Amino acid sequence: MTAVPELHGLDISRLRDIDLFAPSLKSDPLPAFREWVRYEPFYAIIAGAPAAVVTRYHDVAAAFSDHEKLSSEKPRLAGWERLDYFNGELNIAFSDPPVHTRLRKTLASPLLPSAVRPLTAAIQHIVSSLLDRVEGDTMEVMSQLALPAARNVMLGALLGLPEADFDIFITLTHEMFSLGDQPEGAGHPPSYEAAWASARHYIDAVIDREQAAPTDGVIGQLARAYRDGTLSRGEMVAQMITLYAGGTSPIATLIGSALLMLARHPEQLALLRAEPHRMEATIDEVLRYHSPGLFNFRFAREDFDLNGLFVPAGMPVYMVGHAANFDPDIYDDPFAFDIARERKPLLVFGRGIHFCIGFHVARLVTRTVLEATLERFPQIVLADAEIEYTGNPQERAPVAVRLQVARSISV
Ligand code: HEM
């Protein structure tokens, strides 16, 4: 991979002063998006380096789709080991063809709608058990519902792990996301190495278990790919942890964002209650208006023209999908939250070969949680209008969403 170039030699008039990591982009991004969504592709200094940025719907869609010119591999620049989440193992999200094609093939079938639909009863059980534990007339959505539901669905229903083994993957994910706090060049801390070794050891046991009694689903599929030589044991760990880490937080965030948006817009909540067939459109509108993700990025493989902007080889290209959700060329009255608006293809799950493999799971879990929550609580009111956000710069994840809930409608 070519080193990131200097701004020298680029058209400085295309440079804009934007801050992709500003906290306000999570708490109140609309003022920025109103401006950005009108910009042609431009340069900005991001994380200290010159980068290209796209914010309009068609530019973002084109960049997501162009895996020939834009690479998903992370360049191994100085200090990169802080971002080596998968212990040097190849991973579906950060790879290009042919590696990406090989890895995606091992995961695709257990995540197809036909494989995911049968998980419905297990997901309903997880959700209703969590709702049963809500006492009194308040519920903090993230800790009492969204995060445990996402974790239990991903590790239990989807990956098929017994609850006693959850901690192996929860600990490794925590260690992975702590790598960014390491000083540059420090390498992996012993706690990360221990967590990886423990997951690797677990995979050995899974392979033996699957050899003796093969199962369907993600783990069974990965073990088969190991047996037929498609995947190494280390790659099995990397794909499992990618699914868990890549799926849990966005599902939880989507659930929290959905209940937040509905509580903030009681007239929309009333419309959904009156016309429950609008559930899928409601999930789309939440994804559009309050996306779990703000942006994604790639690296230019070669010099190329990005809709009129010269992008030199090696330059990072940021695709601000959340801004593109407000493109007035695509959406009428884009700054209104309206579950009855005409549905359009979303960019929130990406486009092209890296399109989110967990799309069907994410939607199924969110729909199940919303249906069960609305049925359980005929009244939902936002208890705390001030929302704080957490997560890495790419995420837009509420820390807490406090609701006042009532089990029967008071007259
Ligand atoms: C609301 C929930 C979710 C959102 C908004 C979301 C968003 C995305 C986006 C934008 C991409 C494309 C990234 C890129 O092109 O660089 C992606 C890819 C991916 N997602 Fe999701 N995701 C969600 C849920 C899930 C779930 C539940 C899983 C796991 C079951 C998952 C696993 C993955 C994986 C493995 C990839 C990489 C696919 C590839 O590179 O071929 N995601 N996701």
Side-chain angles (χ1 to χ4, degrees), residues 384-398:
D384 190 350
E386 280 300 308
I387 302 293
E388 282 178 31
Y389 288 83
T390 181
N392 70 40
Q394 284 177 264
E395 292 177 319
R396 190 178 176 207

Side-chain angles (χ1 to χ4, degrees), residues 64 92-93 100 104 154 247 250-251 298 348-349 354 356-358:
F64 263 126
I92 178 175
H100 173 263
R104 180 131 183 153
M154 292 298 298
I251 290 184
R298 300 275 194 271
V348 176
F349 293 97
H354 288 279
C356 179
I357 205 162

